């Protein structure tokens, strides 16, 4: 069998940072130096190509513009490679993985995002293992010769996750990510054990890169004492088309008149309201409690068990894909890339 070919795309993040001695902060450095620091990469039996984005960033500076650039690179290089490894800061890695999962429609090859909690040059770094295993997973094939993992994933600290199910939950430990509503796709020990029955099916259509994203998405997190009405006025006056409402528990919110009329005002102004729970595990069930039955009655949409990161990027993608309000609502409520359970 021919050697697998994998493209590394370096965007920045701790993995490639060095200490700025003058300022005492971490700043990104260039890709070549980073790859040279792990000579064993050459022993993997994978043909590795690498490129970096023009601007190497801390992922706190991530923008939809960079997602469009990344999706474009993957689209342009798609036929030449068996898989892709995106080196990325962990802070917004779940957002980028979610965005790419929507933008890369009919993806049949692995796009594995990874990074690290300690820079690659440090003796105790987690970067080497993360990068090497991400490359291995990106090169894996099934017995039919297809890529084994046809999805956008995050690989971090021995676990492979569906990217759009994850969130960063720990800023200090090596296992920085969780996927509470969907089990891991692979576990890495002595062997790489891929749970194939959990993977998305291989598409039977060609890749389509959706390279437009809408910025008409708003988000507001409920908290006791919140006065929603100034936010509603701001959303309406700025042309927001979809508001993600981060609710309590199984999709609950206050039942007072002020709150409910603010929600009703959004709906009457043709703003879609998308109910996503602040709880990281479990799902929205509008109507289970009185505290959510009015939301359902007003036509608030259910995000089921979607993550906040996936809800945001899905909304950016859906609003850019169609102007039809009914179709937008229908797309937001059903899984498109395995990002929600039902
Ligand atoms: N601030 C860094 C980033 O997200 C943290 C990391 O890479 O883990 O770029």
């Amino acid at each position: 069998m021919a050697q697998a070919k994998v493209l590394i795309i370096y965007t920045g993040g701790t993995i490639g940072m060095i200490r700025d001695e003058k300022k005492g902060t971490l700043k990104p450095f260039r890709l070549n130096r980073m790859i040279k620091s792990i000579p064993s990469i050459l022993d993997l039996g994978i043909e590795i190509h690498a490129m970096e984005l023009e601007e190497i960033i801390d992922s706190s500076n991530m923008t939809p513009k960079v997602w469009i650039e990344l999706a474009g690179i993957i689209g342009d290089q798609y036929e030449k490679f068996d898989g892709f490894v995106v080196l990325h800061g962990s802070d917004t890695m779940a957002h980028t993985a979610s965005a790419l999962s929507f933008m890369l429609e009919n993806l049949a090859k692995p796009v594995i995002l990874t990074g690290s909690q300690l820079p690659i040059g440090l003796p105790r770094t987690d970067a080497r293992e993360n990068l090497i295993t991400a490359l291995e997973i990106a090169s894996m094939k099934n017995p039919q010769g297809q890529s084994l993992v046809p999805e956008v994933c995050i690989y971090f600290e021995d676990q492979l996750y569906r990217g759009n199910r994850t969130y960063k939950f720990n800023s200090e430990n090596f296992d920085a990510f969780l996927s509470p509503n969907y089990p891991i796709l692979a576990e890495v020990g002595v062997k790489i054990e891929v749970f194939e029955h959990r993977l998305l099916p291989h598409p039977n259509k060609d890749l389509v890169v959706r390279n437009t994203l809408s910025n008409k998405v708003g988000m507001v997190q409920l908290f006791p004492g919140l006065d929603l009405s100034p936010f509603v006025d701001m959303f309406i006056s700025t042309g927001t088309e979809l508001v993600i409402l981060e609710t309590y528990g199984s999709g609950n919110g206050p039942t007072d008149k002020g709150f409910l009329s603010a929600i009703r005002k959004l709906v009457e102004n043709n703003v879609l309201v998308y109910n996503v729970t602040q709880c990281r595990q479990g799902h929205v069930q509008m109507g289970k409690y009185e505290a959510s039955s009015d939301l359902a009655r007003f036509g608030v949409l259910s995000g089921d068990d979607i993550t906040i990161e996936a809800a945001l990027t899905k909304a950016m993608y859906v609003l850019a894909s169609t102007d039809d309000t009914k179709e937008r609502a229908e797309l937001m409520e059903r899984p498109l890339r395995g990002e929600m359970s039902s």
Side-chain angles (χ1 to χ4, degrees):
M1 227 201 263
Q3 241 189 4
K5 270 173 92 173
V6 176
L7 178 64
I8 298 177
I9 309 168
Y10 174 45
T11 69
T14 297
I15 190 163
M17 290 197 182
I18 42 164
R19 185 161 291 282
D20 182 326
E21 295 304 342
K22 272 195 210 140
K23 293 188 193 152
T25 52
L26 289 173
K27 62 170 192 189
F29 74 116
R30 309 312 289 190
L31 177 71
N32 277 349
R33 235 175 110 185
M34 190 166 76
I35 295 203
K36 275 196 196 131
S37 70
I38 5 180
S40 52
I41 235 179
L42 304 173
D43 301 331
L44 287 172
I46 301 171
E47 187 180 324
I48 296 168
H49 294 239
M51 59 172 292
E52 59 186 22
L53 298 189
E54 213 166 292
E55 204 189 341
I56 297 305
I57 54 171
D58 182 300
S59 80
S60 311
N61 288 315
M62 188 47 67
T63 60
K65 194 166 158 250
V66 180
W67 295 337
I68 292 168
E69 189 183 349
L70 271 175
I73 293 170
I74 294 169
D76 290 346
Q77 303 296 325
Y78 194 67
E79 293 309 324
K80 293 190 215 134
F81 292 93
D82 298 290
F84 301 85
V85 170
V86 179
L87 299 181
H88 196 290
S90 59
D91 287 349
T92 58
M93 190 182 286
H95 296 81
T96 300
S98 299
L100 290 177
S101 76
F102 297 113
M103 297 169 85
L104 301 171
E105 193 172 309
N106 307 322
L107 182 69
K109 298 183 179 182
V111 174
I112 314 293
L113 281 85
T114 195
S116 64
Q117 294 280 56
L118 283 177
I120 206 157
L122 296 190
R124 271 196 329 103
T125 185
D126 50 332
R128 273 189 290 270
E129 196 283 321
N130 284 350
L131 174 54
I132 286 173
T133 308
L135 285 165
E136 285 196 78
I137 294 170
S139 71
M140 288 170 104
K141 293 283 165 78
N142 67 17
Q144 293 77 45
Q146 298 167 308
S147 291
L148 186 62
V149 181
E151 27 179 316
V152 180
C153 300
I154 286 182
Y155 177 73
F156 231 84
E157 185 67 2
D158 300 337
Q159 318 248 299
L160 184 72
Y161 306 95
R162 174 165 300 156
N164 59 29
R165 289 294 197 146
T166 60
Y167 75 101
K168 181 175 177 179
F169 86 107
N170 198 313
S171 61
E172 285 169 8
N173 286 2
F174 286 158
D175 58 339
F177 289 89
L178 281 180
S179 166
N181 287 323
Y182 197 75
I184 53 167
L185 304 181
E187 172 106 72
V188 176
V190 174
K191 284 198 304 196
I192 299 177
E193 190 181 352
V194 179
F195 306 112
E196 290 185 48
H197 59 287
R198 295 178 187 162
L199 297 172
L200 290 174
H202 266 270
N204 46 20
K205 292 190 193 144
D206 290 342
L207 177 79
V208 179
V209 179
R210 301 278 174 198
N211 59 3
T212 46
L213 292 170
S214 169
N215 61 2
K216 297 195 167 142
V217 182
M219 194 173 322
V220 61
Q221 186 179 66
L222 300 191
F223 58 87
L226 166 71
D227 177 6
L228 191 61
S229 57
F231 291 95
V232 165
D233 292 341
M234 190 256 307
F235 288 137
I236 293 170
S237 68
T238 53
T240 301
E241 295 175 351
L242 185 149
V243 170
I244 296 166
L245 195 64
E246 285 186 50
T247 55
Y248 307 123
S250 51
N252 305 318
T255 50
D256 67 274
K257 249 191 171 169
F259 177 78
L260 292 175
S261 60
I263 296 289
R264 205 199 319 238
K265 190 167 176 187
L266 281 175
V267 176
E268 282 169 359
N269 279 275
N270 287 326
V271 180
L272 293 172
V273 183
Y274 195 49
N275 188 340
V276 178
T277 171
Q278 293 173 25
C279 291
R280 285 305 197 158
Q281 190 154 16
H283 60 120
V284 166
Q285 283 174 282
M286 279 187 287
K288 183 177 175 193
Y289 292 93
E290 198 191 330
S292 63
S293 51
D294 282 327
L295 298 182
R297 212 161 45 80
F298 292 164
V300 170
L301 307 171
S302 170
D304 189 44
D305 60 356
I306 199 165
T307 62
I308 288 155
E309 293 79 354
L312 174 81
T313 52
K314 181 176 184 176
M316 290 175 165
Y317 158 77
V318 165
L319 297 185
S321 323
T322 171
D323 288 333
D324 184 293
T325 310
K326 256 199 170 158
E327 199 181 338
R328 286 175 167 181
E330 191 266 321
L331 290 170
M332 289 307 295
E333 285 200 306
R334 75 171 158 90
L336 303 179
R337 311 278 191 268
E339 76 283 6
M340 54 207 282
S341 298
S342 56

